[in-house]
Amino acid sequence: MARRYLSHALPSLIFYHVQRLPFCDCSEAAIGEEGIGHDDLEALNMPRLRHVLTRRLVLSGLMLGAAVTAPAYAMDAFEAVKGPLDYIGSVEFFPEAGALSAGWTVRIAEDDLDEISFALSSAFGTASVAGADVVDVTTELDERFGGAVRTYRIDLAPSVNGADRIVKFAYGGPLFPEELPLPINTLDSDKIELTVDSFWFPFDARFDSDLTARVQVRLAGEWSAVGVGSVVSTPKGFHFVQAEPALDIAFSLLSNSEVVKADDYVIHDARSEPGTKLEELTGALEFCTAYLNGLAGPAGPLPQASIIVTDRPEGGYSRGTLIALTDIEDDDEEYLLQFICHELAHYWSKANAGGPENWINEGLADYLANMGVRNALGETVFDARMARYAEQIEGHDLPPIWAAELTERPPYLIMYRAAPVALQHLEERMGRATFTAFMQRIMTDRVRTTPALLALLEEMAGAEIRTWFETRLAD
């Protein structure tokens, strides 16, 4: 079953023009040790942003209720973090209106950049962009996304002695003015689930830069929070700290879910009728966590996984150890094992997801998951599964899995079928013990590119197998 691995399409967004707005002073000095306090929004220069958005929502007949203390999810201490791109933000959600207001300070650590571009949903109109290091800003609709994304090209002042440069953004409005056909990205009174392909925050348009983040969220009502990194309840929302560099800022907010907690995972069952197949799900989580931790060795262990179970029929994904599942009611043991192991294995995925190297992310995660199925259910189940993979690609005119001249992201059948089959053939040539050690090194070294993977293969198995596999990838 392939439905849950399909990449979710960018929603069709329309313009929602907002006034030019002041900026969030999200510097470390303004944040302090306790993070951004939403009671201090006046000090963050954001009151007009909220006033403009609130006025529009009230005029539309949408009354905003008073904030209520949210339930605690985790009480980790505030951590000072900083990645290649470090986001410090203040975001207020208005779920009944499907809207948000946001202010960000983005710290750019790369001191050799003359310019940088960010992509943001065009539903917000034109955001305000400023900062002492901003020399000039050019903005236009990105036709690659059908006008749903606005790109901001920012000319930067030279870095002084290698110091970070600062870019500030402020914007607000409804994020999804049109109803979405598949509610992966959601901003309503039941769930706030936003992935990078909604472009709800200004995203580095190179699509391959890791980021860290500190985000203070203001939200009225009783909600639970799921995130990558630490999640701390505050009097009027949540404080998220994402200290592990990643491509996305990943969290979800749920107003009605049942929670199951264990040492290795927390399950948030957000289905209208929760509870079905939870025993099978917990079994898959426990097996896959133990199996992958044993395989990873020094590259592990996995951090605690956060699992959201939804009612939707497709659109599952993972962000580190935050995993969103579609409805699992009809899934059997083999499917759940393979899916959970696949998504947990993405903890070690570091290749550029937007280009030809994504076969590493998906192919390796999928084959690691199939190795887990073999370990749990036996050779017969594994052989039948890999035979189905081979049948599904037979007769298709597919591009190479990887070649140096490729520039596009591989299609589905390459990443999830052809690449795992190629890895199966590589395992047969290397032998299981050497192949398992090879996979552990990929996890330990956080391999990001095919040339690096091939060099590691030559180191561990010799030039002949490296040449064979490189040819196999290019076939």
Side-chain angles (χ1 to χ4, degrees):
M1 297 173 68
R3 53 191 170 91
R4 296 184 190 173
Y5 297 131
L6 295 174
S7 60
H8 16 300
L10 188 72
S12 174
L13 304 177
I14 62 174
F15 286 118
Y16 182 86
H17 292 286
V18 296
Q19 299 176 25
R20 292 186 65 82
L21 299 165
F23 303 96
C24 169
D25 178 12
C26 297
S27 64
E28 288 183 297
I31 292 175
E33 294 183 356
E34 300 302 322
I36 302 171
H38 277 287
D39 291 335
D40 299 324
L41 277 173
E42 297 289 336
L44 296 178
N45 298 322
M46 291 293 284
R48 184 166 172 258
L49 176 58
R50 185 188 297 170
H51 170 74
V52 170
L53 182 56
T54 302
R55 183 172 180 273
R56 290 180 180 183
L57 299 177
V58 172
L59 289 175
S60 299
L62 298 167
M63 301 301 295
L64 301 176
V68 180
T69 301
Y73 171 73
M75 296 305 295
D76 296 341
F78 176 79
E79 303 171 55
V81 300
K82 181 180 174 184
L85 289 175
D86 188 38
Y87 285 69
I88 309 173
S90 177
V91 182
E92 183 167 8
F93 289 109
F94 304 92
E96 292 186 1
L100 63 86
S101 63
W104 298 95
T105 289
V106 183
R107 304 177 60 160
I108 302 165
E110 297 169 87
D111 59 10
D112 59 343
L113 292 180
D114 297 322
E115 64 180 57
I116 189 169
S117 293
F118 291 90
L120 182 66
S121 170
S122 62
F124 298 124
T126 303
S128 294
V129 182
D133 300 304
V134 175
V135 175
D136 190 33
V137 180
T138 304
T139 180
E140 62 181 359
L141 295 177
D142 192 330
E143 294 305 321
R144 295 175 299 172
F145 300 98
V149 172
R150 179 171 286 277
T151 300
Y152 298 81
R153 179 184 176 275
I154 301 168
D155 293 332
L156 298 170
S159 174
V160 178
N161 297 324
D164 294 347
R165 270 81 60 83
I166 302 295
V167 177
K168 298 182 180 182
F169 291 86
Y171 54 90
L175 178 55
F176 306 121
E178 296 177 343
E179 185 176 353
L180 302 179
L182 183 63
I184 298 171
N185 291 290
T186 307
L187 204 176
D188 60 30
S189 57
D190 294 322
K191 178 163 60 75
I192 299 172
E193 182 182 11
L194 302 176
T195 65
V196 66
D197 47 0
S198 71
F199 292 96
W200 70 277
F201 71 94
F203 189 74
D204 183 357
R206 292 174 293 181
F207 299 103
D208 64 354
S209 296
D210 287 342
L211 62 89
T212 50
R214 285 161 281 179
V215 187
Q216 194 75 12
V217 170
R218 182 185 176 100
L219 180 65
E222 294 291 327
W223 295 75
S224 59
V226 188
V228 176
S230 72
V231 185
V232 180
S233 177
T234 67
K236 294 186 178 180
F238 296 94
H239 181 208
F240 293 87
V241 178
Q242 185 168 299
E244 180 74 17
L247 288 172
D248 194 4
I249 297 175
F251 62 82
S252 293
L253 302 162
L254 306 167
S255 65
N256 185 24
S257 67
E258 291 191 3
V259 180
V260 177
K261 293 185 178 181
D263 290 341
D264 295 326
Y265 57 84
V266 178
I267 299 172
H268 296 256
D269 194 343
R271 293 174 292 179
S272 56
E273 297 182 6
T276 304
K277 287 286 184 78
L278 276 189
E279 184 176 347
E280 292 85 346
L281 175 58
T282 58
L285 282 164
E286 289 167 3
F287 170 81
C288 291
T289 299
Y291 176 76
L292 291 171
N293 282 342
L295 180 64
L302 286 161
Q304 186 183 67
S306 298
I307 313 297
I308 306 171
V309 187
T310 71
D311 279 324
R312 60 177 178 257
E314 60 184 26
Y317 63 87
S318 68
R319 297 290 184 272
T321 52
L322 190 162
I323 300 173
L325 297 175
T326 51
D327 194 355
I328 61 175
E329 183 175 357
D330 298 325
D331 294 339
D332 60 20
E333 181 183 18
E334 178 188 338
Y335 183 86
L336 272 177
L337 275 172
Q338 205 278 343
F339 183 73
I340 293 297
C341 286
H342 177 114
E343 297 301 342
L344 288 177
H346 274 307
Y347 173 69
W348 292 278
S349 295
K350 288 297 179 181
N352 178 3
E357 301 292 0
N358 198 44
W359 82 268
I360 297 177
N361 294 334
E362 299 301 343
L364 267 67
D366 202 82
Y367 196 65
L368 283 168
N370 286 323
M371 291 167 64
V373 168
R374 180 174 63 196
N375 186 276
L377 303 180
E379 300 286 344
T380 301
V381 173
F382 171 81
D383 290 342
R385 187 172 190 87
M386 296 310 298
R388 290 196 300 271
Y389 278 27
E391 290 171 4
Q392 288 166 5
I393 59 177
E394 186 176 357
H396 288 274
D397 184 17
L398 296 174
I401 297 171
W402 180 88
E405 66 272 13
L406 294 178
T407 59
E408 300 296 323
R409 177 186 169 104
Y412 172 87
L413 284 175
I414 289 293
M415 294 189 292
Y416 300 102
R417 295 297 181 262
V421 169
L423 289 167
Q424 179 193 19
H425 295 163
L426 178 62
E427 181 182 35
E428 291 168 353
R429 281 184 171 254
M430 294 177 70
R432 287 190 186 177
T434 305
F435 182 81
T436 299
F438 174 60
M439 297 297 273
Q440 185 178 101
R441 278 289 303 277
I442 291 174
M443 299 160 85
T444 303
D445 295 357
R446 301 294 180 100
V447 171
R448 304 173 69 103
T449 68
T450 305
L453 184 147
L454 292 171
L456 179 60
L457 179 60
E458 182 172 352
E459 174 191 329
M460 299 189 67
E464 183 178 346
I465 287 183
R466 178 243 165 90
T467 300
W468 171 85
F469 190 60
E470 187 169 5
T471 302
R472 178 72 174 76
L473 293 176
D475 283 345

